[in-house]
Amino acid sequence: MRTAIATVCLSGGLVEKLHACAAAGFDGVEIMDADLVAAYESPEEIRALCDRLGLTVDLFQPFRDFEGVDEATFADNLRRAEAKFDVMQRLGADTVLVCSNVATATIGDDEVAARQLGELADRAAERGIRIAYEALAWGRFVDDYRHAWRIVEMADRPNLGTCLDSFHILSRGHDPSAIEDIPGEKIFFLQLADAPALDMDVLSWSRHHRLFPGEGSFDLTAFLGHVLRAGYAGPLSLEVFNDTFRQTDVVRTAAHARRSLTWLADRTAEAAGWSTDRLTAAAAPLAVDFVEFKGENLGPLEEMLDRIGFTFRGRHRSKPVRLWSAGETRVILNEKARHEAPQLAAIGVRVDDAAEAADRAESLGAPRVFRRTYAGEQDLRAVAAPDGTEVYWNDQPAESSWVAEFDGGGPEQQLSGVVDHINLAQPWQDFDEAVLFYSSVLGLAAESSTDVPGPSGLVRSQVMRTDDGVLRIPLNLAPPTAPVPAQHVAVRCDDVVAVAREARQRGLRFLPIPDNYYDDLAARFGLDPSTLDVLRELDLLYDRDADGEFIHFYTPIVGGVFLELVERRGAYDGYGAPNAPVRLAAQRENGTVTA
Amino acid sequence: MRTAIATVCLSGGLVEKLHACAAAGFDGVEIMDADLVAAYESPEEIRALCDRLGLTVDLFQPFRDFEGVDEATFADNLRRAEAKFDVMQRLGADTVLVCSNVATATIGDDEVAARQLGELADRAAERGIRIAYEALAWGRFVDDYRHAWRIVEMADRPNLGTCLDSFHILSRGHDPSAIEDIPGEKIFFLQLADAPALDMDVLSWSRHHRLFPGEGSFDLTAFLGHVLRAGYAGPLSLEVFNDTFRQTDVVRTAAHARRSLTWLADRTAEAAGWSTDRLTAAAAPLAVDFVEFKGENLGPLEEMLDRIGFTFRGRHRSKPVRLWSAGETRVILNEKARHEAPQLAAIGVRVDDAAEAADRAESLGAPRVFRRTYAGEQDLRAVAAPDGTEVYWNDQPAESSWVAEFDGGGPEQQLSGVVDHINLAQPWQDFDEAVLFYSSVLGLAAESSTDVPGPSGLVRSQVMRTDDGVLRIPLNLAPPTAPVPAQHVAVRCDDVVAVAREARQRGLRFLPIPDNYYDDLAARFGLDPSTLDVLRELDLLYDRDADGEFIHFYTPIVGGVFLELVERRGAYDGYGAPNAPVRLAAQRENGTVTA
């Protein structure tokens, strides 16, 4: 499938945008007139640049509010249109978008709209230009794609067709299946945008909060399936108005946008049973293989692991790396770092076929990570997530593969656990891209997001997970002006009270929990006093829902990371979200362990 | 009137919040239980701290979802309540807020709600606690203050009253006049919040976008009038959930909040014809007296003024300051600065009574600005706006007062004009406070805000102005992650084409406008070719609406500022907003003049 993107999705000037689109691998662009108007380059220069970059100008969007108007306005609109047709010919664009009239329409009569669009099409035909008429979700008289299509049918001109925009159709909850009733050759253009589920006016939703496919809650796979079954053969074009993407680096956003289309084409082909446009299959994560912390000074973290009850498994044969484990939880400490304080650097994922998983990630444009491997060592393939976190794949049991590269472990300690979740704080500009990365590369699904009130502002939390919960990655987004929060790994064990008690005896420092919290627990849950006493004594946090209970505790922050130990009772499936404000406040009060 | 604020309005920990509330001059606080739960200090410590700080705990907000439930839930709710009553007694709080049930109500029967609230009140009475029942805008069965009041009346307990929250009433468009039907002594508490006009779900609107009084579009003066006429004698308490205030400095936000109540009390007293709670009257701005730029290197700006056609009026007798003027436009260049590049530092406003205006500003908590004045010089009083811009008042004609302090001017040039508008870019954390400052201190009214797409993100523009337009201050807000945009002063003249032509002959550099812009103008407005040629030749921008025309041009940016020359034809009352994206793009391309 051919791909395109509207220049309005990106930041910067038009020339920069075109370079970025070409670098990202798009076949064409949709030029918003405002971008051209603000450019010093003539339409001829833009056309020549597009030629050189191998980009076609698939659509031009020069004006609004054309049809359904009185005759005087119509005459002026035709004059406007002719002036823009001049620009299109200089630009080498042959399809123009006409959105349903929002502001100036006074006549809600389809015959008038059809006659006026027909006349426009006749004028355009003389220039070899096609008109793509689209229903805006907030059009004055035409706000449904089926209605726009009826008008196009009524006008009955060969160079008049319709443009479909997933946002305008899905935001209104209109059934997209009637798209299949439109002859494919009359769908002149297709604009794709995802969006989060928001209950707000559709105009603001559209102008500020659109997302690239795979990042929101629209079913674009089904939508695109309808369009392709109708016989549409034009480009898949992204039109995403988003306050964040308007600010982020143009090259990076264009690459991000392009990946979303690769993912969508794959999903759609899979759903339809087609063999083209398919990526390597997504390899389902079977388990967390390891997590890796990096930093020049890992001493405090190592002491923490020791006191929690992890077993030291030794040093790597050829790298400045140590391994600690607790049952199926493997923690790699890597001193080869450019920063002193520990950071969460990598996640290892166990899959059935690591090569297939890595191939898929690279097809999706995820940058490959190079790590030197010596003779006799296992070569794990990896890519970098948008925030730089490395994701490794392993299809061998850890204990019989890379773990064997570590020598000289210490005495075995008792703790046994698995990684319950890995909490990744995201810089504001990486958040949406991270959602797409974890859904497309690892096949994780997004749970609905929550806002956690912290002492420095609201923290948005979006859990990405497998259905079975073996890999759960809550992504945290702090306000752009706040420091990026610490990241953490939560280890699940069978008896967190016993783990906490032993850890305390070994001298582990806990994140101290306020007494008032336990008074509140008593009020909320009516826990018996002896249970409360234990929780209070051990700085344990507690949550309960209809499905079960959750007990957990935190270490203090070391550098940019901390650890959590959790126990799930019954079918509790959350993360103790009601306790997050208490944790954030306590972390703020207690600062960071630095030595 | 007594004043209070909910701790949830502020960032940081509870102890910091209490100190900030006291420092800002609040009489009391409304403690959100979540703030207490996350605090290490016991309720007794918080109580003692409030005592020492002179703060009363006017309201405690410990739980949700009480009434309208089945008997088992009700029994558990009473247990929860008793536990929170324990906390209240330790805290020294005697009024508890109960919001209408959102989540657990299953019985939409007022008698059940009244019976359950009555029983709660009886339990509370044993502790000397009062219950304030409030209708949330999104309550399951009770979402209207009149409905909440009917239930309170039905329950008929002396210690059960209602709590009114302006957001929950005005966001739903409910008529607040029926508040006067409630006996004042049964209004146990009053929560005040303003909000911008937004079309979104009321829950998100409430949780993220509330504003302090005077910053949004609610008519809080009328609202408070109803409450006071009902006989309410309790505190005016702010409950403002806002994503920005959650992040800003707690001391500053508390002071900002307190000022909003001073302003509201004044407005309400004025509207009601009361003599208490009045500030000095707002002095209407009669004209812009001067604008001042500061910087160690003002050479490029001075050259610009000269080439535009300003007249050099000389040096100040005792300060490193020079004056340029053009008719009623006076520009002070001040070299006593800590930064090299020019910044817009001050605005002088002509009023009838400068002392009264300055007194009012200081009553509203605006910090006084000190500037050394020497014998025989005019002493202008001033305060600092939230972003640091100084605002001066003068009640004497400039030419016969402070202008006389400048000696040694140059030959008179032809330009004559007045300051049309002063565009102040605001750092993200100052924006809402600035709206309150300019409305309360200068009596300016807020026009509806617009979003301008720029190459680095959307810029929000909010014009503050007098009705007659003699003082117009567009406030610009860029995304928090973008650099603060340059500020500018626009000078209005009678013939901008002539001014531009002469300025060009004198060698003024203009902000160059792309050719494509003129092609677009031709398409949009059908201007005749000779007019277009003149616009194009002189880098002039053009706008037109039903009321008239607007022609303007810009200088390049020098340091953090630039100048605009404008001509208004007919009754055009805007600022050329359609041209702003072109201007922003051109500024980005052309960079900043540094020498």
Side-chain angles (χ1 to χ4, degrees):
Chain A
M1 290 180 219
R2 282 177 47 79
T3 58
I5 183 169
T7 54
V8 74
C9 305
L10 305 170
S11 67
L14 182 55
V15 168
E16 284 167 275
K17 295 182 187 202
L18 294 173
H19 278 281
C21 294
F26 283 99
D27 303 304
V29 290
E30 185 182 317
I31 293 185
M32 183 68 81
D33 193 29
D35 278 325
L36 181 66
V37 167
Y40 289 109
E41 294 75 17
S42 67
E44 290 81 1
E45 278 177 277
I46 296 298
R47 175 185 198 154
L49 176 63
C50 287
D51 277 351
R52 172 161 67 84
L53 295 173
L55 292 171
T56 50
V57 181
D58 291 323
L59 191 75
F60 187 58
Q61 214 184 124
F63 55 77
R64 289 283 170 100
D65 300 325
F66 182 81
E67 85 294 0
V69 296
D70 61 54
E71 288 307 306
T73 308
F74 178 58
D76 193 53
N77 287 353
L78 281 179
R79 186 193 57 69
R80 283 197 297 152
E82 292 279 6
K84 293 299 175 182
F85 291 164
D86 292 345
V87 175
M88 289 178 68
Q89 291 191 300
R90 296 170 62 194
L91 197 57
D94 68 0
T95 306
V96 59
L97 181 69
V98 176
C99 298
S100 62
N101 197 323
V102 172
T104 63
T106 51
I107 306 169
D109 177 337
D110 288 358
E111 287 189 15
V112 171
R115 181 174 55 74
Q116 294 180 340
L117 287 168
E119 198 163 326
L120 180 69
D122 292 342
R123 301 279 193 109
E126 295 168 21
R127 319 265 206 141
I129 287 174
R130 305 192 311 164
I131 311 284
Y133 179 60
E134 172 185 83
L136 291 185
W138 53 92
R140 172 78 179 85
F141 295 112
V142 179
D143 60 9
D144 184 322
Y145 75 98
R146 293 162 290 204
H147 190 180
W149 166 238
R150 281 199 306 275
I151 291 172
V152 168
E153 264 194 305
M154 199 180 283
D156 192 24
R157 301 296 204 285
N159 68 326
L160 175 64
T162 190
C163 171
L164 301 174
D165 180 310
S166 62
F167 183 88
H168 293 297
I169 295 168
L170 300 177
S171 67
R172 296 291 306 268
H174 293 157
D175 178 2
S177 64
I179 290 171
E180 299 188 33
D181 301 335
I182 305 173
E185 69 278 7
K186 294 302 278 185
I187 302 174
F188 279 7
F189 208 70
L190 174 66
Q191 295 176 321
L192 292 166
D194 206 339
L198 290 174
D199 179 7
M200 68 193 304
D201 72 290
V202 72
L203 179 60
S204 301
W205 189 18
S206 170
R207 295 230 170 127
H208 301 285
H209 301 286
R210 290 184 178 208
L211 292 168
F212 293 121
E215 297 171 359
S217 58
F218 287 166
D219 186 351
L220 290 179
T221 307
F223 178 85
L224 183 54
H226 293 303
V227 177
L228 297 176
R229 276 191 294 278
Y232 176 73
L236 310 188
S237 186
L238 294 168
E239 190 177 74
V240 172
F241 306 90
N242 178 291
D243 291 352
T244 298
F245 304 149
R246 286 180 200 273
Q247 300 169 53
T248 46
D249 175 73
V250 57
V251 170
R252 182 163 170 181
T253 306
H256 163 193
R258 184 63 187 78
R259 288 199 290 277
S260 76
L261 281 186
T262 304
W263 169 84
L264 178 62
D266 175 59
R267 284 281 296 253
T268 306
E270 181 187 18
W274 300 329
S275 59
T276 54
D277 286 308
R278 290 307 314 277
L279 304 174
T280 318
L286 304 173
V288 175
D289 197 41
F290 65 86
V291 292
E292 176 179 313
F293 297 103
K294 262 192 188 172
E296 290 175 350
N297 177 13
L298 296 168
L301 189 58
E302 199 145 18
E303 182 184 75
M304 208 174 252
L305 289 167
D306 186 43
R307 290 180 175 177
I308 291 171
F310 277 72
T311 298
F312 178 56
R313 303 291 301 279
R315 294 165 195 281
H316 193 269
R317 290 204 295 256
S318 59
K319 297 172 194 164
V321 168
R322 292 192 290 276
L323 174 64
W324 291 76
S325 75
E328 291 297 308
T329 306
R330 283 169 286 272
V331 176
I332 293 174
L333 299 181
N334 186 341
E335 287 179 346
K336 192 173 173 186
R338 292 201 199 88
H339 45 84
E340 185 167 0
Q343 303 290 341
L344 182 47
I347 302 171
V349 179
R350 177 78 185 278
V351 291
D352 275 334
D353 187 331
E356 209 168 77
D359 285 347
R360 175 184 172 83
E362 290 175 24
S363 316
L364 282 159
R368 177 184 272 228
V369 168
F370 172 74
R371 192 173 280 202
R372 185 178 302 283
T373 313
Y374 297 96
E377 294 173 2
Q378 195 189 3
D379 186 13
L380 299 181
R381 280 175 65 187
V383 296
D387 71 343
T389 304
E390 297 174 356
V391 175
Y392 288 82
W393 287 275
N394 186 10
D395 50 18
Q396 305 299 315
E399 295 292 331
S400 61
S401 60
W402 59 269
V403 170
E405 297 165 16
F406 291 81
D407 298 320
E412 189 169 344
Q413 296 205 94
Q414 284 179 348
L415 181 67
S416 181
V418 296
V419 171
D420 185 83
H421 58 277
I422 302 162
N423 201 304
L424 298 179
Q426 297 294 303
W428 67 273
Q429 71 274 27
D430 295 340
F431 187 83
D432 298 308
E433 195 175 350
V435 171
L436 178 63
F437 175 85
Y438 290 107
S439 62
S440 62
V441 169
L442 290 180
L444 305 184
E447 293 189 346
S448 62
S449 73
T450 54
D451 282 332
V452 176
S456 312
L458 293 178
V459 177
R460 181 170 156 208
S461 178
Q462 164 83 69
V463 176
M464 307 293 303
R465 58 173 292 179
T466 56
D467 278 351
D468 63 7
V470 302
L471 180 58
R472 300 167 185 252
I473 303 182
L475 301 175
N476 281 0
L477 173 66
T481 56
V484 175
Q487 315 210 99
H488 82 271
V489 174
V491 178
R492 188 167 71 245
C493 57
D494 292 333
D495 184 352
V496 77
V497 175
V499 169
R501 202 178 294 284
E502 287 156 21
R504 174 143 305 171
Q505 280 161 7
R506 281 189 292 261
L508 181 72
R509 282 182 59 191
F510 286 60
L511 182 72
I513 302 302
D515 259 4
N516 298 336
Y517 170 79
Y518 298 98
D519 294 342
D520 183 57
L521 273 192
R524 284 196 289 142
F525 295 119
L527 297 176
D528 67 85
S530 64
T531 303
L532 261 182
D533 285 348
V534 170
L535 297 176
R536 194 189 299 258
E537 174 203 345
L538 294 168
D539 287 305
L540 294 169
L541 295 129
Y542 178 86
D543 190 30
R544 188 170 76 200
D545 64 15
D547 302 316
E549 294 171 296
F550 189 63
I551 309 181
H552 55 142
F553 72 86
Y554 296 98
T555 68
I557 296 174
V558 185
V561 299
F562 60 100
L563 298 170
E564 178 183 7
L565 272 287
V566 312
E567 178 185 340
R568 295 178 181 276
R569 293 181 181 172
Y572 181 95
D573 203 35
Y575 306 86
N579 299 327
V582 173
R583 192 251 301 164
L584 288 167
Q587 288 178 328
R588 181 170 180 276
E589 291 285 322
N590 288 280
T592 300
V593 176
T594 51
Chain B
M1 289 179 222
R2 281 175 50 76
T3 58
I5 183 169
T7 54
V8 75
C9 304
L10 305 169
S11 66
L14 183 55
V15 168
E16 284 167 275
K17 294 181 187 202
L18 294 173
H19 279 282
C21 294
F26 283 100
D27 302 304
V29 289
E30 185 183 319
I31 293 184
M32 184 67 81
D33 195 28
D35 279 325
L36 182 66
V37 166
Y40 289 109
E41 295 76 16
S42 67
E44 290 81 1
E45 279 177 275
I46 296 298
R47 175 187 198 153
L49 175 63
C50 288
D51 277 351
R52 172 160 69 83
L53 295 174
L55 293 170
T56 50
V57 181
D58 291 323
L59 190 75
F60 188 58
Q61 214 184 125
F63 54 76
R64 289 283 170 104
D65 299 326
F66 182 81
E67 85 294 359
V69 296
D70 61 54
E71 287 308 306
T73 307
F74 179 58
D76 193 53
N77 287 352
L78 281 178
R79 186 195 56 69
R80 283 199 296 152
E82 291 279 4
K84 292 300 177 184
F85 292 164
D86 292 346
V87 175
M88 288 178 70
Q89 292 191 299
R90 296 170 64 194
L91 197 58
D94 68 359
T95 305
V96 61
L97 181 69
V98 176
C99 298
S100 61
N101 197 323
V102 172
T104 63
T106 52
I107 307 170
D109 178 337
D110 289 356
E111 287 188 14
V112 172
R115 180 173 56 72
Q116 293 180 339
L117 287 168
E119 197 162 328
L120 180 69
D122 293 341
R123 300 279 193 109
E126 295 169 21
R127 319 264 206 141
I129 287 172
R130 304 191 312 163
I131 311 285
Y133 180 60
E134 172 185 84
L136 292 185
W138 54 90
R140 173 77 179 83
F141 295 113
V142 179
D143 59 9
D144 184 323
Y145 76 99
R146 293 161 291 204
H147 190 179
W149 166 238
R150 281 200 304 276
I151 292 173
V152 168
E153 264 194 306
M154 196 181 286
D156 192 23
R157 299 298 204 283
N159 68 325
L160 177 63
T162 191
C163 172
L164 301 174
D165 181 311
S166 62
F167 183 88
H168 293 297
I169 295 168
L170 301 177
S171 67
R172 297 290 307 269
H174 293 157
D175 177 2
S177 64
I179 290 172
E180 297 188 34
D181 302 335
I182 305 174
E185 70 278 8
K186 295 301 279 185
I187 303 173
F188 280 8
F189 208 71
L190 174 65
Q191 294 175 322
L192 293 166
D194 206 338
L198 291 173
D199 179 7
M200 68 192 306
D201 72 290
V202 72
L203 179 61
S204 301
W205 189 18
S206 171
R207 295 229 170 129
H208 300 286
H209 301 287
R210 290 185 178 207
L211 292 168
F212 292 121
E215 297 170 0
S217 58
F218 287 166
D219 186 352
L220 289 180
T221 306
F223 179 84
L224 182 55
H226 294 304
V227 177
L228 297 176
R229 277 193 292 279
Y232 175 72
L236 311 189
S237 186
L238 295 167
E239 190 176 76
V240 172
F241 306 90
N242 178 292
D243 290 354
T244 299
F245 304 149
R246 288 179 198 273
Q247 299 169 54
T248 47
D249 175 73
V250 57
V251 170
R252 182 164 170 179
T253 306
H256 163 192
R258 183 65 187 77
R259 288 200 287 279
S260 75
L261 282 186
T262 303
W263 169 83
L264 178 62
D266 175 60
R267 286 281 296 250
T268 306
E270 181 187 17
W274 300 328
S275 59
T276 54
D277 285 309
R278 291 309 313 279
L279 304 174
T280 316
L286 304 175
V288 176
D289 197 40
F290 65 86
V291 293
E292 176 178 314
F293 296 102
K294 261 191 190 176
E296 290 174 351
N297 178 12
L298 296 169
L301 190 57
E302 199 144 17
E303 181 183 76
M304 209 173 251
L305 289 167
D306 186 43
R307 288 180 175 176
I308 290 172
F310 277 72
T311 299
F312 177 54
R313 303 292 301 279
R315 295 164 194 281
H316 192 270
R317 290 203 295 258
S318 60
K319 298 172 192 163
V321 168
R322 290 192 291 277
L323 174 64
W324 290 76
S325 75
E328 290 298 307
T329 306
R330 283 169 284 273
V331 176
I332 293 175
L333 299 181
N334 186 341
E335 286 180 346
K336 193 174 175 185
R338 293 202 199 86
H339 44 83
E340 186 167 0
Q343 304 291 339
L344 183 46
I347 302 171
V349 179
R350 176 79 185 277
V351 291
D352 275 333
D353 186 332
E356 208 169 76
D359 285 347
R360 176 185 172 82
E362 290 177 23
S363 318
L364 282 160
R368 178 184 271 226
V369 167
F370 173 75
R371 191 172 280 203
R372 185 177 304 282
T373 314
Y374 297 94
E377 293 172 5
Q378 196 189 3
D379 186 14
L380 299 181
R381 282 175 65 186
V383 297
D387 72 342
T389 304
E390 298 173 357
V391 175
Y392 287 81
W393 287 275
N394 186 10
D395 50 19
Q396 304 299 316
E399 295 293 331
S400 61
S401 60
W402 59 269
V403 169
E405 297 165 18
F406 291 80
D407 300 318
E412 189 169 344
Q413 296 205 95
Q414 283 181 348
L415 180 66
S416 180
V418 296
V419 172
D420 185 83
H421 58 277
I422 303 162
N423 201 304
L424 297 179
Q426 297 294 303
W428 67 275
Q429 72 273 25
D430 295 339
F431 187 82
D432 298 308
E433 197 176 347
V435 171
L436 178 63
F437 175 85
Y438 290 107
S439 61
S440 63
V441 169
L442 290 180
L444 305 184
E447 293 189 346
S448 62
S449 73
T450 53
D451 283 333
V452 176
S456 309
L458 292 179
V459 176
R460 182 170 155 209
S461 177
Q462 164 82 69
V463 177
M464 307 293 303
R465 60 174 289 180
T466 56
D467 279 351
D468 62 7
V470 301
L471 181 58
R472 302 169 184 250
I473 304 182
L475 301 174
N476 280 2
L477 174 68
T481 55
V484 175
Q487 316 208 100
H488 82 270
V489 173
V491 177
R492 187 168 70 246
C493 56
D494 291 335
D495 184 351
V496 77
V497 174
V499 169
R501 200 177 296 282
E502 287 155 25
R504 175 144 304 173
Q505 279 161 6
R506 280 188 293 261
L508 179 73
R509 283 183 57 192
F510 286 60
L511 182 73
I513 303 303
D515 259 4
N516 298 336
Y517 169 80
Y518 298 99
D519 294 343
D520 183 55
L521 273 192
R524 285 197 286 141
F525 294 117
L527 296 177
D528 66 86
S530 64
T531 302
L532 260 183
D533 284 347
V534 171
L535 297 176
R536 193 187 302 255
E537 173 203 345
L538 294 169
D539 286 306
L540 294 169
L541 296 130
Y542 178 86
D543 191 30
R544 188 170 76 200
D545 64 15
D547 300 317
E549 295 171 294
F550 189 63
I551 308 180
H552 55 143
F553 72 86
Y554 297 98
T555 69
I557 296 175
V558 185
V561 298
F562 58 100
L563 297 171
E564 179 183 6
L565 272 286
V566 312
E567 176 185 340
R568 294 177 182 277
R569 294 183 181 170
Y572 182 95
D573 201 36
Y575 306 86
N579 299 327
V582 174
R583 191 251 301 167
L584 288 167
Q587 288 179 329
R588 180 170 181 277
E589 291 286 322
N590 288 280
T592 298
V593 176
T594 52

